Amino acid sequence: MKQREKRQGITLVHTGDGKGKSSSAFGVAFRAAGSGFKVLVIQYIKGKWKTGEACAAEKFDNIEWHSLGDGFTWDTKNPEQDRKTSRAIWEFSQQKILSREYDLVVLDEINYCCGYGWISGAEIATFIREQKPAWMHLILTGRNAPPEVIDAADTVTEMKMVKHAYSQGIKAQQGVEF
C-alpha cells in the first residue's frame, strides 16, 4: 500500500437506475480493507435494519460502518425530518472525512439526498474539490447524481437497468440484495 502522501485519491460516483451501485461500492470497500486501508461507510437512506454487508464489515477491524438514515425516504411521511436527518449525516460525513483517519470513505445513497433537494450538489462538489484530502478515496452512490458531483468526480459509472427481478414479483433476496 502506498503511503498516503504518495497516493492519488480518486472520487468515484455510482449512479443510474440499475442495481449494483451500493454493492459495487461495498466491493471496493472490502477490497480496500483487505489491502490494509482504513475504511468508513456512511449510509444516508437505509435505516437500522441489519444487512449482510454490515454484518460482514463487523468482521474487519479496519471498517467503520454507520447506517444513519431514517429508512426508505420515498415512502416518507415527514420530509422535513428526512431533510434534517440528511443534513446531520452530511455534517457528520464532513467531520469524519476531515479527521483524516480514513483511506476510503463510502457515502452510500447520498445522491438521493441531492435529488430530493436536501443537500446541494454544488455544496458536495465544493467540499470534494476544496477539503477532501488529496490522498483519500471517496465513493458516492445513489440515483440521480447531480451534475456538479459528476463534474467533481474522477470516475463515474451509470448503472442501467435492463431487467430486474422485482418487476417480475420477486422480492429482495437476503444475501444478494441485502
Side-chain angles (χ1 to χ4, degrees):
M1 174 174 53
K2 285 186 177 179
Q3 292 178 346
R4 287 180 168 178
E5 298 75 30
K6 296 180 182 179
R7 182 185 321 139
Q8 174 62 51
I10 59 172
T11 298
L12 301 96
V13 172
H14 299 170
T15 193
D17 64 355
K19 181 174 170 18
K21 297 173 288 292
S22 296
S23 298
S24 177
F26 301 151
V28 174
F30 285 106
R31 177 185 296 145
S35 294
F37 284 37
K38 186 158 184 187
V39 176
L40 172 67
V41 175
I42 300 174
Q43 293 187 292
Y44 276 72
I45 301 295
K46 293 189 177 97
K48 305 296 182 218
W49 50 288
K50 275 285 196 187
T51 61
E53 56 267 22
C55 291
E58 291 174 359
K59 299 178 187 310
F60 286 78
D61 293 334
N62 55 335
I63 299 178
E64 184 178 324
W65 197 284
H66 299 274
S67 296
L68 302 174
D70 291 328
F72 294 106
T73 54
W74 47 87
D75 291 331
T76 190
K77 303 291 186 252
N78 190 347
E80 186 55 37
Q81 178 59 47
D82 293 334
R83 182 180 286 99
K84 286 179 183 176
T85 299
S86 296
R87 291 296 315 169
I89 298 170
W90 172 235
E91 295 300 323
F92 177 77
S93 299
Q94 291 176 85
Q95 291 171 7
K96 288 292 201 174
I97 290 168
L98 293 174
S99 76
R100 305 174 73 85
E101 289 181 44
Y102 309 95
D103 300 294
L104 170 71
V105 174
V106 176
L107 302 179
D108 185 41
E109 298 176 336
I110 189 173
N111 295 333
Y112 282 103
C113 300
C114 297
Y116 290 127
W118 300 338
I119 304 171
S120 137
E123 179 182 1
I124 294 170
T126 298
F127 180 83
I128 291 169
R129 287 189 178 109
E130 297 178 5
Q131 297 186 54
K132 179 188 81 66
W135 46 262
M136 183 182 286
H137 301 301
L138 177 65
I139 305 175
L140 301 96
T141 74
R143 293 179 185 216
N144 303 316
E148 302 92 344
V149 171
I150 289 172
D151 289 344
D154 301 298
T155 300
V156 178
T157 300
E158 183 174 1
M159 311 294 188
K160 178 182 174 192
M161 182 169 47
V162 175
K163 187 176 181 180
H164 198 292
Y166 185 79
S167 62
Q168 301 169 55
I170 302 170
K171 295 186 182 208
Q173 296 295 304
Q174 185 174 7
V176 175
E177 295 174 306
F178 65 92

